[in-house]
Amino acid sequence: MRKVAIKEYAYCLNHTPELAYHYGNTPFWERKIKGESEFLLSLSKSIRTYDEAIGYAPNQAFIGGISLEELEAQQTPWYQNPLKDVSRYGTFGEIMPEDEFLGLMDICDVFDIIWLEQSFSKKVEDKLQAHPLMNSSILQRLEKGHIFEEIEKEIREDGAVPLYSGGEIVGCCRKAHEFDECLSSYVLLENIACKAGGVLALLHLLKRANMKPEEVDFIIECSEEAAGDMNQRGGGNFAKSIGEIAGCSNASGCDIRGFCAGPVYALVDAAAQVASGVRENVVVLAGGALPKLYMNARDHVKKGMPALEDMLGNFAVLIAPEDGESPVMRLDAVGKHSIGAGASPQAITEALVYKPLKRIGLGFLDVDKYAAELQNPEITLPAGAGNVPEANFKMIAALAVMKKELDKAGMTDFIKTRGMLGFAPTQGHIPSGVPFIGHACENIKNGKMKRAMIIGKGSLFLARLTNLSDGVSFMIEAPSPAVEEKVETLTKEEIKDTILEVLADIAESLKGANAK
């Protein structure tokens, strides 16, 4: 079985405050039930500008604009202490503004579902032409647009949902069936936004890997969205639809779902395909979850904060055979949360951390960094959900004490040095360990780290099919140094002399045996 490398990675954010304000689940249902309520009025005054969003330290950490050490050194609260002189582009990707993202959604639409107003479409086209990744084959997919009266009629008479920019209607998302809820305008808006985010991350990945789209063999999409119709509402396929836009003509693909644990399952699946020789270059990717935007906005507004959940997160990771330089995935140390493992934090941590380490003869202190559920605490703490990453690291440290691998007095240092601050958007599958892969691989390649563990955990009970939780983990390590085998070559005369010596030894042995 071949060893498997994490060859490349990309992380992007889409700043989409108006999509959040109208179609994030919390404001969407507030508006539907109560109309333009006091909460929505307050929320409209708490929306961040694009400049505020790119100056927000966790967003820069997500796209590789700053290191996690720099994030830790940044004064908190982060939203009151913006970074200066920051760029939309980071080491791993970018933060795309909402108007360009609406244009990208139109580019990703192949069923004439997204309609943009003519003048808005032209303005977006001009901006996207300056984008380093938008080549002519992608840009030609952007439609010239529709007159406003046509868009208004679709919204008024045919169930389309409006799209906004600068507080004005600049387009709409149409429904694709008369009564199928799975093909309603709202669900299709979710799905196309997710697809567009995946496309952006894939384009950045291909650029970072200096790789042609045709070289991708397989794509696995692992978001939390479901695509299908009323006869099979989760049939898919996001993966192939994303590859199609990016020009990956030789790739096949499928979707993997596992709630928040989905990306880690997808990475293990990709690694297994590469290790077995079935595939060479497998991309694991996901777009963001539109319904989770402004999910905790009610609490943010109540506490006088800006509404921070305005970012659609997306990522892409390239898995390939080991090359001697890229960090490797350990497939002999994959953790699993079995059905009978139990749902307590201790049981989950034992299954995902302790057991895989023990299997390969390692202990808690042999891992430089653990990454699990990296939700930004500045988003979750005001909503009463606690500091999720810190809670995980405390549990890992406590288990290390229970297993007598760590003194109780060393717990605080363990949490600080082997854990990290949360910095990812609160979109289920996005924060679950995967945002650290880019930072971990960079640190391993620079010799700052040897080993990291990526942990994904899932809430299966949300589907109302089981009360079980779920989880999976794997290890990233520095590659083993290549061992050059030296093969000694002999001349014909040397071979002849060696054979004669062996025959002489055999003859001498036979003489001795006969004498006896």
Side-chain angles (χ1 to χ4, degrees), residues 3-21:
K3 287 190 175 180
V4 176
I6 298 178
K7 190 97 172 182
E8 205 44 89
Y9 27 83
Y11 297 88
C12 299
L13 293 168
N14 310 114
H15 181 237
T16 53
E18 297 200 58
L19 283 173
Y21 180 70

Side-chain angles (χ1 to χ4, degrees), residues 220-224 256-270 284-287 315 317 329 427-435 437 454-457 472 474:
I220 302 175
E221 202 274 351
C222 53
S223 69
E224 293 182 315
I256 285 181
R257 296 292 179 262
F259 284 95
C260 306
V264 185
Y265 273 120
L267 284 160
V268 171
D269 185 281
V284 174
L285 53 76
F315 70 87
V317 178
M329 281 180 65
Q427 289 169 49
H429 60 293
I430 296 297
S432 207
V434 173
I437 290 175
I454 306 299
I455 304 165
K457 297 198 285 183
V472 60
F474 66 83

Side-chain angles (χ1 to χ4, degrees), residues 48 52-53 55-59 71-72 74-83 295-301 303-310 373-390 420-426:
R48 290 192 295 187
E52 288 171 335
Y56 187 57
N59 292 344
L71 176 66
E72 191 170 345
Q74 180 69 8
Q75 189 175 347
T76 56
W78 291 315
Y79 65 84
Q80 289 183 347
N81 296 278
L83 297 171
M295 183 168 54
N296 295 294
R298 201 180 299 277
D299 295 289
H300 296 166
V301 167
K303 291 175 173 61
M305 295 170 54
L308 298 174
E309 292 167 304
D310 53 5
E373 298 183 298
L374 298 174
Q375 286 95 332
N376 175 357
E378 207 156 82
I379 294 174
T380 56
L381 281 167
N387 187 328
V388 180
E390 186 179 69
M420 68 196 73
L421 294 171
F423 58 95
T426 50

Side-chain angles (χ1 to χ4, degrees), residues 228-244:
D229 64 14
M230 58 187 170
N231 295 309
Q232 36 77 55
R233 62 187 61 196
N237 183 311
F238 279 92
K240 293 185 80 168
S241 75
I242 290 168
E244 176 188 21

